[in-house]
Amino acid sequence: MKILHYLLLGVALCFVACNDDDDKNLSSTGETNWFALEDSDDELGHLAYEIYKETGVTIFYNDTIAKVQRGMNAAGEPMYRYEVLGVNYDVTTHYAYLYPLLTDRDKIKKGMEFLRDEVIPGLLNGASPCSFLLVDSLINSNNANKNTLYLVDVFKARRTTCVALYEKKTEIDEKSLSAAILAEEYAAYMNRMGSDKLTVFCSFSVGKVNDVMGKPLYEVPMKKTDKKTDWDEDWRKFGFLSYDRGKTFTVDRKTGKPTAYTCPTVIQDIADYVKEVLLGDDAAFEEKNGEFKLCIEKYKLMKSIVAELQETLGKRSNE
């Protein structure tokens, strides 16, 4: 019995030792918090930790965020489980983004400093992403237009917001990229929470769909030859600043003008306008879109929505 007792005690101590790393960063529910960073001797790891300690925002530059030992195999060798961000996974949707990782450590460092100085201060309190993932580029491989490369600068996934820094580019428009990142975060919050003003914002973009008037135009495929659904070669006629680039888009080879496109999703439309509001150049927006009344009205309304959010929730820069 004593031998059995000591054997059981030894096994118990072994389990404690193996799971010691798992207990370092536990959430309130007792689960491992993979986004709680610890200090590192590595320069980039230390910078990420300093930013996390100062702001509470986690920045990764690799989508494999943890390596955890889960025991030994029959040969006595350690077995590991790797925790990954799962960029393309959502509860109800599977995305198809290719995202080559950055290899230039100087580019990664500058990217972290850019997020720290230009993006994080503009985040709304209580509406931050789980983390940021710095990547080289973001390519939507689920693209209906096979002859075109569908690149995006920002993609908000379930557990991270990916930011493309394009390693081979020497210059990046930091103001535009910062506004695009923040716009994704603002739009996700607005779409999740909803409001009367946001309902009004969306109500501007309605029209004829399958011979029915007054229907929302979000995600509606439009074709020049389809007489049952509204059509205009410029989506701004319907109050949109862009179209869904992942869906079929065709142009007339002679005129170069669109003959088919799909209207954006609600959250894409919100993000488009939030970005323009955050850029803060009213004159430039009006010069570009002034002939489209719906765009002007939606821009004005979004300015008030953003201002109210910033006043109600506050920005991190105001903490």
Side-chain angles (χ1 to χ4, degrees), residues 207-213 221-232 259:
K208 184 175 73 170
V209 180
N210 293 327
D211 282 334
V212 180
M213 302 299 294
M222 292 190 168
K223 293 182 180 180
K224 186 177 181 179
T225 55
D226 184 359
K227 304 304 180 184
K228 293 185 177 182
T229 297
D230 274 335
W231 166 258
D232 195 277
T259 56

Side-chain angles (χ1 to χ4, degrees), residues 53-166:
K53 185 174 68 171
E54 178 185 342
T55 68
V57 176
T58 303
I59 302 174
F60 296 115
Y61 51 93
N62 194 320
D63 60 344
T64 301
I65 59 177
K67 176 183 176 182
V68 182
Q69 185 176 337
R70 288 304 188 192
M72 312 287 282
N73 63 17
E77 299 168 332
M79 297 186 299
Y80 296 98
R81 182 174 73 81
Y82 295 89
E83 183 70 19
V84 297
L85 283 171
V87 169
N88 285 309
Y89 172 77
D90 204 343
V91 176
T92 59
T93 306
H94 184 78
Y95 299 99
Y97 279 95
L98 305 176
Y99 51 98
L101 299 174
L102 293 162
T103 59
D104 185 330
R105 289 176 64 84
D106 187 56
K107 191 84 170 183
I108 295 170
K109 181 181 178 182
K110 289 179 179 177
M112 288 184 178
E113 292 169 342
F114 161 70
L115 289 177
R116 179 194 65 195
D117 300 336
E118 305 299 332
V119 176
I120 293 174
L123 291 171
L124 296 170
N125 290 320
S128 298
C130 291
S131 65
F132 285 110
L133 174 64
L134 297 175
V135 298
D136 171 69
S137 53
L138 284 160
I139 307 161
N140 188 345
S141 61
N142 187 20
N143 181 10
N145 307 292
K146 299 301 181 183
N147 295 324
T148 61
L149 189 63
Y150 180 11
L151 290 170
V152 297
D153 294 334
V154 186
F155 170 59
K156 183 169 178 59
R158 187 173 67 93
R159 301 208 301 170
T160 195
T161 295
C162 300
V163 179
L165 297 179
Y166 303 103

Side-chain angles (χ1 to χ4, degrees), residues 267-314:
I267 199 165
Q268 181 185 347
D269 189 36
I270 296 171
D272 285 343
Y273 276 93
V274 172
K275 179 181 178 181
E276 293 295 334
V277 169
L278 294 178
L279 286 172
D281 194 336
D282 295 352
F285 184 87
E286 185 152 359
E287 181 179 354
K288 184 178 180 180
N289 305 290
E291 63 180 286
F292 299 98
K293 183 180 178 182
L294 289 177
C295 290
I296 298 301
E297 292 301 317
K298 289 176 73 172
Y299 178 74
K300 290 178 180 177
L301 183 55
M302 186 54 71
K303 280 188 69 174
S304 70
I305 295 173
V306 169
E308 285 182 11
L309 268 182
Q310 291 176 339
E311 182 178 353
T312 303
L313 296 180

